[in-house]
Amino acid sequence: MARNNNRKVVPESRHMLNQMKYEIATELGIGSAYGSGGSGADTEFAGELGEIGGAFAQGGSYAGHLTSRQNGSVGGEMTKRLVRQAQQSLL
């Protein structure tokens, strides 16, 4: 099993990054695969799929059933937006 050794420089940013992830996944049409994002809206959907007891019920974002391309597209778009925000703040 892979380990996530990425440490957040600002630990409080975790919520903002997760929110961005959910928004981008929704824009790409795979939002329900990433869980509820705190709103509880997808909990019912996850229950219908029989996944209510797993990471979805705990507010996690396990999306192991998606392809690497799908997951990578979310991460890539997050990176693009974060770089764009940083560039704008420097101007």
Side-chain angles (χ1 to χ4, degrees):
M1 179 177 242
R3 286 187 143 164
N4 185 358
N5 292 325
N6 297 332
R7 279 192 328 198
K8 308 288 184 283
V9 175
V10 180
E12 295 81 18
S13 68
R14 180 180 308 266
H15 178 70
M16 187 275 306
L17 291 172
N18 280 333
Q19 185 63 34
M20 179 184 282
K21 175 174 56 175
Y22 299 133
E23 289 173 6
I24 291 171
T26 300
E27 289 174 15
L28 296 175
I30 55 175
S32 62
Y34 277 92
S36 67
S39 69
D42 290 326
T43 305
E44 181 179 342
F45 179 71
E48 291 173 7
L49 295 175
E51 298 170 340
I52 197 69
F56 290 104
Q58 300 164 359
S61 61
Y62 177 73
H65 60 286
L66 296 177
T67 65
S68 295
R69 181 177 293 262
Q70 289 171 315
N71 284 319
S73 64
V74 173
E77 186 62 30
M78 285 179 68
T79 301
K80 286 180 197 176
R81 291 185 188 188
L82 291 169
V83 168
R84 190 178 315 129
Q85 288 175 0
Q87 289 173 335
Q88 289 176 353
S89 70
L90 291 174
L91 296 177

